[in-house]
Structures are given as C-alpha cells and as structure tokens.
Amino acid sequence: MPIDGNMAELSAVLLRDSCSCPYCVHESTKQRLFSTADIPANVHAREITIDTTSNSVYIKWENDAPGYGSDHQTTLSMGALRNLTQSGRAPGLHKDSLPVPILWTQEPLNLPDYDYGTYMKDDHALYQLINQLSTEGLAFVTNVPGREESLATIATRIGPVKDTFYGHTWDVRTVPAAINAAYTSHDLGFHTDLLYFQCPPHVQLLHCIQSASSGGASVFADGYKAAVDLFHTDMDAFDALASIPVNYHYNHPDSNVYHTTKPVIDLKPLSIGDKKINWGPPFLAPFSNHEDPVELGRGNGAVLSTLNEKVDRWHSAAVKFNALLQRPEYLYERKMKPGECVLFDNTRTLHSRRAFDMADVGKPRWLRGTYVDKDPYLSRLRVLQNRFG
Amino acid sequence: MPIDGNMAELSAVLLRDSCSCPYCVHESTKQRLFSTADIPANVHAREITIDTTSNSVYIKWENDAPGYGSDHQTTLSMGALRNLTQSGRAPGLHKDSLPVPILWTQEPLNLPDYDYGTYMKDDHALYQLINQLSTEGLAFVTNVPGREESLATIATRIGPVKDTFYGHTWDVRTVPAAINAAYTSHDLGFHTDLLYFQCPPHVQLLHCIQSASSGGASVFADGYKAAVDLFHTDMDAFDALASIPVNYHYNHPDSNVYHTTKPVIDLKPLSIGDKKINWGPPFLAPFSNHEDPVELGRGNGAVLSTLNEKVDRWHSAAVKFNALLQRPEYLYERKMKPGECVLFDNTRTLHSRRAFDMADVGKPRWLRGTYVDKDPYLSRLRVLQNRFG
C-alpha cells in the first residue's frame, strides 16, 4: 500500500483487525463485535480505494470474518497508517501520556492544600490532586468534615474503595501499652502498606480525626528518590534490591494468611508496567531461595551457600537504601490536624510517624484510613486528562 | 554450626534475622519489631548452646541490632535448621500447598451443588467450595434467596467484594434490540472479565435472578486445558501466546479509560506467581510493537515488519487456541435456574452463553454479578486449609 509515496507492506490480518466500522466496534459499548481469531488467515484486500480529498483509504475484503458481507468496508485515515508504519501502533490504540514523577529534592515540597468542598465539586481540583499524586506522590485535603463517611467521599472521587480484611475504612488509634513501650518505637519506620498482597493498593488515604497533643507528626519519604540515588552511588546495591526477591507475610493462621515474594525495587511489577517500591520491614518474612533446589544441587551445600550469599548481599544493599530513605533533608513532615486528610502513592511514597506523647492515653491520636486501587486511579487520571490535560 | 553431625556455614545476618523471640516478633500482631536493615553487617554469634534434649540451638549475639541487650537470645529448632540447609527456606516461612488444578476431560465434570444455607453457616462446606474453585475452577450454589443482597453474602464468605466502575454488584439483563440483533451473537464468545485491569478479579460470581424461557444457557471452558493441549500439539503456537503481549482496552474517553498489555497465556502474571489465561476478544485493543522503536531502527521498515510478523504469528496461534476452547466435548453447559449462583476462577475458566429466545423481551434473562480478588481468596483458602486440610 502506498503511504506518503513509499510502498509499505502491511499484514492483511492487521489491517482487517484495525477496522472500527459500526459492524466491527459497537458504537456505544465500544466493544469489538468480531473476534480476531475469527479472521481467516487468508483474508486479503479485494479492493483498495485511496481518497486524496479525505486522506483516507477504503478497503473491501476477500475471505472476511464470518457474518460480514461483501459490502463491508474498512476506512483508515492516512494519518493512522503513517503512524502505524512509524511507531508500530495500530489505529485506535490509546497512548498514555501520564505525568512523569518529579523526584523530591532538598527544597521543601511545595504542596498546595486542597479544600474539601472545592475538591468534592470541582473536577479541575480533582484533576490537579490526582496529577500531583503522580508527580509528587503526596497531597493534602483540608477542612474535611469530622464525619465517619467523609474519608470514603474523598476516596470515591478517585475510584471505588478497596475493601480489605481491615475493613472498608479502618481506624488507627494507637493506645500506648507500657508493657510493649520499649519496643513500639521499632515498628514505626517507613513502609508500604499491604506488601503481602499480590496487588497492594495504589493510593492510601489517612483522615486525621484527632491529633496527639504533642508529637505524632506524619513523615513521608520518596522511595523513588532513594532508589535513583542508590542507582547512582552503588550500582551493585541497586541491582541487588531490584533483582533479589524477598518474602513478605501477614501470618495469622486462624484468620488471615497472606504472603508474597517480590524485590524491593520492582521495575516491572506486572509483565509490562511501571515501577514500584516495596519496603516494609515489619512484614518481611523469613528469607528463602527462589531458585529450583534440584538445579542448585541438593546436598552439596549449594542450597545454603546460595541463600547465605543472597541474604548478605541483600542486607548490605537494604542498609544503604534505608540510609538514603532516612536522610532528614529529603523528608516531608507534617503534624496533621483534625479535618486534614493525606493522600499518597503507596507504591512510591513511604510513610511513618514520629513518636508521640505517651501521656495522651485519654485522647489518643486517631486517623482513619482507606485505599484505592491503581486500575481505577489510572482511569480517572486519563479521563480528567482528556478534559483538562 | 553442626547440623546432624555435619558442619554448616550459616550467614550470621540470616540467623539473626530468623529470630522469632517476643522482642523480635510481636506475639499478637506477628509483626517484626526490628528492621533487617538495622542488623549490623558485623553481627555474629557470641555464644552458641546446643540443647540435645529439646533439639534446639540458643544463640547470643555480638553487635546485635540497636535496642537489643546482651541477654537477647535466639532459639532455633534443629528441625528448622535442617530444613534451612536442605530447602533454602529460613525458619518461620509459611509454605503454600495449594490444591493443584485438575484439567477438565471429556468426562462430564462431577460438580456437587452447594446449598446456600449450608454454605453460609458451615465452614467445611465453604472450604470444599473454595477448594473446588482451585481444582476445577467452577462451583454452583443453589437455593439462593432472591434478595438483592444474597449475592454479596456468598461473595463475602470468601473475601471482600471487589468494587469496580460496574458497581459493588451489577446486573446483566440483555434486552435484545432488533437493530443490533444481527451482531449480538458475535460478542458472546468465551472470555475473561476485566482483562483491561492490571489486576483483574480472581473469582467471578453470577446469581441467576430470572432465566430466559428458552435458550440462554451458561457455557464454561477450561482455559488451562486448552493451553496444555496447545503446548502438546503446537509448541510454536503456545510460545506465541505465552510470549507476545497484546493490548486490551475499555475506552470511553468521558467516563472510563482502562488499558493493559499482557500475553494470552500468562505464565508469570506477577514477577513470581502462577499462571493466568487472558482471553477476551471483545476488549482486544489494536496491536502494537512493545519493542523500543529506536532499537528496531526507525525508518528502515523494521518497525512495520516486526509488527506484521508478530500479528500474523499471534493470529495463527489464537485461531488454534480458540478452536481448542470451543471443543464441545470439553465444555460445561448449564442453564441456570433462578436461585442458582455460579462461582468460577475468572483467570482460568472462560465463560459464555448460548443464544436465547428473542421473544422473551418482557421477562428477560437476568443475572447479578460480582467479583472477589485473588489476595483475599488465597488467604481464606489457606486459613481453611489450616483447619480442614
């Protein structure tokens, strides 16, 4: 087929598959009305008409899919065909242009607060907040009514709440218990939530109902920044965290048993996808080999030496990553007040909190949290990009 | 360290990391109270005591993690250490022994019906049903009350409902419209739901509220069986479907824009995970290259020839896979009656329905559906295995 004066060889199956006429793609549901597998392998163009006025190509088919008559005609624009030959993308394929993450610097993050009332009714404010979750990974809504359902109203502006065994929403009310106080400071480090899920939530929301009278500030770190800096300063450590899978678990045998295996720096969390940071010391499960023990050669010590080497290499890299995470000049700290709600990218922005006043038992710090999955988050972002982007 | 008379070299970090004393793993939350990254690289055993009576090893540490005193002692059983050296799995790691899928044969599936009342109150019946979803990928509940909330009660016995833009639950009421009738038969082929999600639901439930007076039977096919048979009959076609990513989309620019890219036979849907079948002709998006166009050499025709070859190879394999799916002798067909609910593994068992009587407009076929994610499904299965397995 001639495209811009050059002859281009195009698979007939590919062209037939690209048809978006009303008999091939339902006009309201946008679903395909044929199956690619029903296109005969010997399909070919019976008649090709090039209309230079509309810059379109009309194709009629020989050996078309079952149910299509000889009058079935496929229309393709020259622009779509040019794009096909140049980019290898067939006509009608949506191309994402998602906002690029901006790494945190030593300059304080400049995060505008979003007023609850505006956020709830103004789609442009919603777009800005969702965009900010993609670029900075962190956003705050203020003036949130102190009602139980307020948090879910913020979440569902983005997408359906992800219900988990913690509940549709859940309450974080830390009542310090003296017997464990010596150790409670240990488990407040930076972490990703629900690492022990195969599909952890993308957005986490925390609505402050009541704050501690002293201390208890929320602290956030940019996991991407730490990963990028590790890449530049210690390639081997970066490679260790990106390639060695480690185990996570939530192991309550009578009620909930979740476990997963993934690297800390997940460059391809799905076969094709973007990157994720998986960091959650409290839920790290015991180490194990992920190589086949038969291949390693059972009995000759290779099983154990492989594990020893892996653990030591991972540990050394994790120490470095952790040190990069903790750098005070890159942290974002905010003592949330009642009526404020934070939203953050759970797969990038790691969260933690400062110790708080243990005398506060009567009126403890109280946050309510919930989650939204990545699929609806991305959909909402794309729809708003179509309107405002 | 001597294990069964042989000296085994064990990483000190690995052993220290394995400690499950009450100062290291919280007794009720089971969370770790230390971070692996806080273990100094120069940690080592100060004192090792082997107790042959209890078959245990006690270790005290030099250069322990911050906050641990010199009296901190790690106890490891000889059994756990033996397992560590043999299997490369550190003490305390949960080992899955999930039921193995049983491929469908030409013999009719022998699926017991589960009575709603029994399923709702008897955990052993729940265990059997969940187990059957893992082995056969399909199960039916009968005597379901015709109430709106009945479906969700069945789902939440397994795990929280996965809410999507279709709703918490959704209604399938096909009202035939003459203008499209010629084409409606095209989009009833076997398919996976929500392929255009990065994380499609694992379990799909469909509750029959009202059935068509004639036709409208539900038909199911075993995607695993088709994949395994393709592997044995045409290795190249299997390889094409397992290695060529294709695009899926749900593209309604004003409301919902979802798209993903994955192979039909997904051998590793997550970096480490089990297999999934992704088959959904109506939501297949236009093809594209997934190789870097710069690497392919823009302009010399490689972009297009790569795409042409890929599409033709994939198409040829998809035709074969589709033919294996359609084999009547391997299908499971059942005309669901009001009060019946089917549950199936959405990532294995493909579903479809027979054409139904178009005169039925006044009293149409009506199903109500919902989904449950894989993470809670697996957790419930593991917990019930602990009780009944």
Side-chain angles (χ1 to χ4, degrees):
Chain A
M1 181 176 297
I3 296 173
D4 299 335
N6 299 312
M7 288 307 285
E9 190 99 22
L10 287 156
S11 154
V13 170
L14 173 59
L15 287 180
R16 172 60 188 85
D17 191 69
S18 302
C19 188
S20 61
C21 83
Y23 300 122
C24 286
V25 178
H26 193 281
E27 284 183 296
S28 65
T29 71
K30 317 267 186 195
Q31 280 179 241
R32 285 188 176 208
L33 299 170
F34 67 100
S35 166
T36 304
D38 287 338
I39 302 175
N42 63 352
V43 67
H44 61 271
R46 194 181 75 226
E47 189 186 309
I48 300 180
T49 313
I50 298 177
D51 181 343
T52 49
T53 316
S54 68
N55 240 334
S56 296
V57 178
Y58 305 107
I59 309 174
K60 290 190 173 174
W61 302 99
E62 195 70 41
N63 302 321
D64 202 347
Y68 289 87
S70 62
D71 57 336
H72 174 228
Q73 178 172 282
T74 297
T75 306
L76 295 165
S77 77
M78 268 300 169
L81 287 171
R82 191 178 304 123
N83 184 49
L84 169 61
T85 60
Q86 286 171 0
S87 71
R89 300 170 61 83
L93 185 63
H94 180 276
K95 189 164 163 50
D96 257 346
S97 54
L98 300 178
V100 176
I102 300 168
L103 298 184
W104 296 7
T105 66
Q106 295 190 34
E107 296 298 310
L109 282 179
N110 183 15
L111 302 177
D113 283 344
Y114 294 84
D115 171 70
Y116 176 81
T118 311
Y119 169 83
M120 288 305 295
K121 63 174 189 282
D122 177 358
D123 283 353
H124 191 257
L126 174 64
Y127 171 60
Q128 288 179 307
L129 184 141
I130 291 183
N131 208 67
Q132 186 176 312
L133 281 178
S134 284
T135 53
E136 322 287 343
L138 185 63
F140 291 87
V141 175
T142 52
N143 306 317
V144 181
R147 287 194 298 269
E148 182 156 359
E149 62 275 20
S150 297
L151 178 64
T153 63
I154 298 175
T156 51
R157 281 286 277 166
I158 302 174
V161 158
K162 182 185 182 77
D163 198 358
T164 68
F165 68 87
Y166 291 109
H168 196 252
T169 65
W170 30 268
D171 288 316
V172 188
R173 264 189 277 201
T174 314
V175 183
I179 193 161
N180 282 329
Y183 300 98
T184 48
S185 66
H186 285 272
D187 62 348
L188 306 175
F190 290 111
H191 64 281
T192 310
D193 268 21
L194 303 193
L195 269 182
Y196 38 83
F197 276 38
Q198 292 182 2
C199 294
H202 186 68
V203 182
Q204 180 170 168
L205 300 93
L206 290 168
H207 173 199
C208 179
I209 312 282
Q210 199 168 276
S211 57
S213 49
S214 110
S218 298
V219 193
F220 302 91
D222 183 0
Y224 283 4
K225 172 67 180 163
V228 166
D229 284 355
L230 189 63
F231 181 88
H232 288 303
T233 55
D234 193 329
M235 192 61 191
D236 181 66
F238 178 89
D239 182 59
L241 296 188
S243 63
I244 299 176
V246 289
N247 305 311
Y248 295 95
H249 67 175
Y250 181 92
N251 197 3
H252 290 229
D254 298 334
S255 54
N256 294 286
V257 181
Y258 290 79
H259 49 91
T260 55
T261 300
K262 40 191 140 187
V264 169
I265 300 172
D266 213 346
L267 297 174
K268 293 210 168 180
L270 299 156
S271 50
I272 292 189
D274 45 5
K275 55 186 176 302
K276 271 188 193 173
I277 300 297
N278 301 308
W279 183 256
F283 294 100
L284 197 69
F287 289 98
S288 65
N289 280 330
H290 300 288
E291 298 78 11
D292 185 341
V294 176
E295 276 175 38
L296 286 176
R298 192 186 281 269
N300 67 5
V303 167
L304 194 54
S305 63
T306 304
L307 184 64
N308 282 336
E309 278 161 32
K310 186 166 86 166
V311 169
D312 289 347
R313 183 162 174 248
W314 187 86
H315 170 261
S316 155
V319 168
K320 290 168 184 163
F321 182 72
N322 189 45
L324 290 172
L325 274 184
Q326 309 288 343
R327 289 173 298 176
E329 64 272 27
Y330 288 98
L331 301 182
Y332 185 90
E333 180 167 340
R334 174 158 168 168
K335 184 169 176 185
M336 285 171 65
K337 291 190 274 290
E340 295 186 342
C341 177
V342 63
L343 298 91
F344 57 95
D345 177 347
N346 182 53
T347 68
R348 168 190 176 182
T349 308
L350 304 167
H351 65 296
S352 162
R353 69 154 166 76
R354 298 285 181 211
F356 56 90
D357 190 340
M358 284 181 46
D360 248 0
V361 180
K363 189 212 172 208
R365 182 173 177 274
W366 178 6
L367 299 176
R368 179 171 292 134
T370 194
Y371 303 113
V372 175
D373 266 331
K374 185 158 195 176
D375 286 303
Y377 167 81
L378 285 179
S379 172
R380 191 58 48 100
L381 174 56
R382 292 178 187 123
V383 167
L384 292 170
Q385 278 185 324
N386 288 340
R387 274 179 68 188
F388 301 112
Chain B
M1 182 176 297
I3 297 173
D4 299 336
N6 299 312
M7 287 308 286
E9 191 99 21
L10 287 156
S11 154
V13 170
L14 173 60
L15 286 179
R16 172 59 189 85
D17 191 69
S18 302
C19 188
S20 61
C21 83
Y23 300 122
C24 286
V25 178
H26 193 281
E27 284 183 297
S28 64
T29 70
K30 317 267 186 196
Q31 279 179 240
R32 285 188 177 208
L33 300 169
F34 68 99
S35 167
T36 305
D38 287 338
I39 302 175
N42 63 352
V43 66
H44 61 270
R46 194 181 74 224
E47 190 186 308
I48 300 180
T49 313
I50 298 177
D51 180 343
T52 49
T53 316
S54 68
N55 240 334
S56 296
V57 178
Y58 305 107
I59 309 174
K60 290 189 173 175
W61 302 99
E62 195 70 42
N63 303 321
D64 202 346
Y68 289 86
S70 62
D71 56 337
H72 173 229
Q73 178 172 282
T74 297
T75 305
L76 295 165
S77 78
M78 267 300 169
L81 288 171
R82 191 178 304 122
N83 184 50
L84 169 61
T85 59
Q86 286 171 0
S87 71
R89 300 170 61 83
L93 185 62
H94 180 275
K95 189 164 163 51
D96 258 345
S97 54
L98 300 178
V100 176
I102 299 169
L103 298 183
W104 297 6
T105 67
Q106 296 189 34
E107 296 297 311
L109 281 179
N110 183 15
L111 302 177
D113 283 344
Y114 294 84
D115 172 70
Y116 176 81
T118 311
Y119 169 83
M120 288 306 295
K121 63 175 189 283
D122 177 358
D123 284 353
H124 191 257
L126 174 65
Y127 171 61
Q128 288 178 307
L129 183 142
I130 291 182
N131 208 66
Q132 186 176 313
L133 281 178
S134 284
T135 53
E136 322 288 341
L138 185 63
F140 291 87
V141 175
T142 52
N143 306 317
V144 181
R147 287 194 297 269
E148 182 157 358
E149 62 275 20
S150 297
L151 179 64
T153 62
I154 298 175
T156 50
R157 281 286 277 166
I158 302 174
V161 158
K162 181 185 182 77
D163 198 358
T164 68
F165 68 87
Y166 291 109
H168 196 252
T169 66
W170 30 268
D171 287 316
V172 188
R173 263 189 278 201
T174 314
V175 183
I179 193 162
N180 282 329
Y183 300 99
T184 49
S185 66
H186 284 273
D187 63 349
L188 306 175
F190 290 111
H191 64 281
T192 310
D193 268 21
L194 302 193
L195 270 182
Y196 38 83
F197 276 38
Q198 291 182 3
C199 294
H202 186 68
V203 182
Q204 180 170 168
L205 300 94
L206 290 168
H207 173 200
C208 179
I209 312 282
Q210 198 168 277
S211 57
S213 49
S214 111
S218 298
V219 193
F220 302 91
D222 183 0
Y224 283 3
K225 172 67 180 163
V228 166
D229 284 355
L230 190 64
F231 180 89
H232 288 303
T233 55
D234 193 329
M235 192 62 191
D236 182 65
F238 178 89
D239 182 60
L241 296 187
S243 63
I244 298 177
V246 289
N247 305 311
Y248 295 95
H249 67 175
Y250 180 93
N251 197 3
H252 291 229
D254 298 334
S255 54
N256 294 286
V257 182
Y258 290 80
H259 49 91
T260 55
T261 300
K262 40 190 138 186
V264 169
I265 300 173
D266 214 346
L267 297 174
K268 293 210 168 180
L270 298 157
S271 50
I272 291 188
D274 44 5
K275 55 186 176 303
K276 271 188 193 174
I277 300 296
N278 301 308
W279 183 255
F283 293 100
L284 197 69
F287 289 99
S288 65
N289 280 331
H290 299 288
E291 298 78 12
D292 185 341
V294 175
E295 275 175 39
L296 286 177
R298 191 186 282 268
N300 66 5
V303 166
L304 194 54
S305 64
T306 304
L307 183 64
N308 282 337
E309 278 161 32
K310 186 166 86 166
V311 170
D312 289 347
R313 183 162 175 248
W314 187 86
H315 170 261
S316 156
V319 169
K320 290 167 184 164
F321 182 72
N322 189 45
L324 291 172
L325 273 184
Q326 309 287 343
R327 289 174 298 176
E329 64 272 27
Y330 287 98
L331 301 182
Y332 185 90
E333 181 167 339
R334 174 160 169 167
K335 184 169 176 185
M336 285 172 64
K337 291 189 273 292
E340 296 186 341
C341 177
V342 63
L343 298 91
F344 57 95
D345 176 347
N346 182 54
T347 68
R348 168 189 175 182
T349 308
L350 304 168
H351 65 296
S352 163
R353 69 153 165 76
R354 297 286 180 211
F356 56 90
D357 190 341
M358 284 181 46
D360 248 2
V361 180
K363 188 211 172 211
R365 183 172 177 274
W366 177 6
L367 300 176
R368 179 170 292 134
T370 194
Y371 303 113
V372 175
D373 266 331
K374 185 157 195 176
D375 286 304
Y377 167 81
L378 285 179
S379 171
R380 191 58 49 101
L381 174 56
R382 292 178 187 123
V383 167
L384 292 170
Q385 279 185 322
N386 288 339
R387 272 179 70 188
F388 301 112

